[in-house]
Amino acid sequence: MELTTVWFALIAVLWIGYFTLEGFDFGVGMLLPILARDDRERRVMINTIGPVWDGNEVWLLVAGGATFAAFPEWYATLFSGFYLPLLLILLALIVRGVAFEYRAKGIEDQWRTRWDAAIVIGSFLPSLLWGVAFANILHGVPIDAHKEYTGGFFNLLNPYALLGGVTIVLLFLTHGAIYIALKTDGPIRERARELGLKVGLGAAVAAVLFLLWTQILTGNLGSAVFYVLAAAALVAGLAALLRAREGWAFIGTFACIALAVAGLFVALFPDVMPSSTSSLFDLTTSNASSTHYTLTVMTIVAVIMTPIVLAYQSWTYWVFRKRISVHHIPEERLEAPVG
């Protein structure tokens, strides 16, 4: 197998890791004002993702870095063409990270309400825009003979791409609700389970429509198999949630997102960014890649570092594996002024 194909597959794996892991903590962030009834319940929800959310973002950093090093032409066209949505995603992720850190610095209602809003926006906007961006990559965007994007921002807001964005938001909401049901106890667990079932039905409808549309546009036999397996995993996950088996339900939504993203990359290959102007201008794994020497060095580094990163993240999830509830959250009080 050529190294270009190997790195295309590795980048697909990195995006699968990002969407499956960051997907549930985006979902938790978006559900913050919906599931929690008071500040202690909001702190319970935030604590479920507190030890892992920044580690989940490592997958995005590595995916971006790997794309830059392995396929510089793809990276250049993608970041110049999708400059505004990617900038909005970056700003939203920064605001979200700051909100997690600063929310606990004060206990006044107004202070925390503002940071809660930042967490919701910082979780919703990247979910929506990643869906729009990936749908456009699959759909094809105007690229000329010089491998430059010739469209504008509103070219990206077509009906297919918007459906992709809505689908990702609904899947992440379902993934997040199930994660809350898995990691908490008491009334919030019950509310998360009920909401996960309701949102999950909407996610299933949107996912079927989006994957069917994608299959008609760019699909092949391999992608069709992945899409069917993804749909089956989502149905199995919702069925497990209905029987209060949150662990199996989480595995179901995890597998659904992983299989769906794998199917999208299978449908894309060997292109990395098709041109809607002419197929002659498509960016492929061949004409967008780095040199063989660069890919060889990257492969050696990946073989050494990947097990270390996986071991660290697995250890983190194992250490913080127990359920938490409001009983684990101490009540905070405003201190009386001195003097």
Side-chain angles (χ1 to χ4, degrees):
M1 184 183 293
E2 295 181 1
L3 281 179
T4 52
T5 304
V6 170
W7 273 97
F8 180 83
L10 287 175
I11 288 171
V13 170
L14 291 170
W15 281 108
I16 289 171
Y18 178 65
F19 279 116
T20 51
L21 295 178
E22 188 91 301
F24 70 75
D25 73 52
F26 278 154
V28 172
M30 287 187 281
L31 291 172
L32 198 59
I34 300 173
L35 282 178
R37 294 290 183 265
D38 53 35
D39 184 65
R40 289 179 78 184
E41 288 193 347
R42 283 189 284 277
R43 289 161 63 196
V44 167
M45 291 180 64
I46 292 172
N47 283 351
T48 62
I49 59 173
V52 298
W53 70 267
D54 48 354
N56 294 341
E57 291 190 350
V58 169
W59 291 82
L60 173 63
L61 299 175
V62 179
T67 305
F68 171 75
F71 300 102
E73 296 287 356
W74 183 13
Y75 183 91
T77 305
L78 179 66
F79 275 75
S80 61
F82 294 8
Y83 180 79
L84 184 54
L86 293 178
L87 177 63
L88 290 174
I89 289 173
L90 177 61
L91 293 175
L93 292 178
I94 292 173
V95 168
R96 182 172 181 263
V98 171
F100 281 133
E101 298 296 330
Y102 275 74
R103 185 185 189 280
K105 303 296 183 185
I107 61 174
E108 297 83 1
D109 289 343
Q110 191 177 40
W111 172 271
R112 293 198 168 176
T113 299
R114 288 175 178 172
W115 288 119
D116 288 345
I119 292 172
V120 173
I121 295 170
S123 302
F124 170 76
L125 206 55
S127 304
L128 179 71
L129 292 177
W130 278 131
V132 170
F134 267 80
N136 273 294
I137 291 174
L138 286 159
H139 180 269
V141 291
I143 300 173
D144 64 14
H146 303 289
K147 301 176 182 176
E148 293 182 358
Y149 177 78
T150 57
F153 173 71
F154 291 102
N155 291 88
L156 304 176
L157 303 180
N158 55 76
Y160 170 72
L162 292 174
L163 177 59
V166 171
T167 302
I168 290 292
V169 169
L170 291 173
L171 280 175
F172 286 0
L173 283 171
T174 307
H175 203 30
I178 292 175
Y179 181 77
I180 289 295
L182 176 65
K183 292 289 293 179
T184 62
D185 211 350
I188 193 170
R189 176 186 178 189
E190 301 300 324
R191 290 197 296 270
R193 191 189 301 154
E194 292 175 7
L195 185 66
L197 284 170
K198 293 176 183 175
V199 180
L201 293 176
V205 172
V208 168
L209 290 175
F210 177 68
L211 293 178
L212 188 60
W213 196 343
T214 304
Q215 181 65 19
I216 294 171
L217 277 177
T218 63
N220 51 46
L221 180 59
S223 63
V225 171
F226 276 103
Y227 297 157
V228 170
L229 291 175
L234 181 57
V235 172
L238 295 178
L241 187 64
L242 189 61
R243 298 196 300 273
R245 304 290 297 272
E246 291 101 346
W248 285 108
F250 185 73
I251 292 173
T253 50
F254 189 99
C256 167
I257 295 171
L259 290 165
V261 176
L264 299 180
F265 274 89
V266 168
L268 191 62
F269 184 80
D271 292 337
V272 294
M273 203 163 176
S275 170
S276 59
T277 306
S278 168
S279 60
L280 296 174
F281 306 149
D282 288 350
L283 296 182
T284 68
T285 54
S286 299
N287 66 18
S289 71
S290 292
T291 63
H292 182 78
Y293 176 76
T294 301
L295 296 178
T296 301
V297 173
M298 288 176 62
T299 304
I300 294 171
V301 173
V303 168
I304 296 172
M305 296 303 297
T306 302
I308 297 174
V309 174
L310 290 176
Y312 169 76
Q313 282 212 303
S314 300
W315 177 78
T316 304
Y317 277 95
W318 175 255
V319 169
F320 297 99
R321 66 188 181 280
K322 293 183 179 178
R323 292 180 185 270
I324 60 174
S325 68
V326 290
H327 302 297
H328 299 102
I329 305 295
E331 190 172 354
E332 295 176 318
R333 299 179 187 277
L334 280 170
E335 293 183 2
V338 178

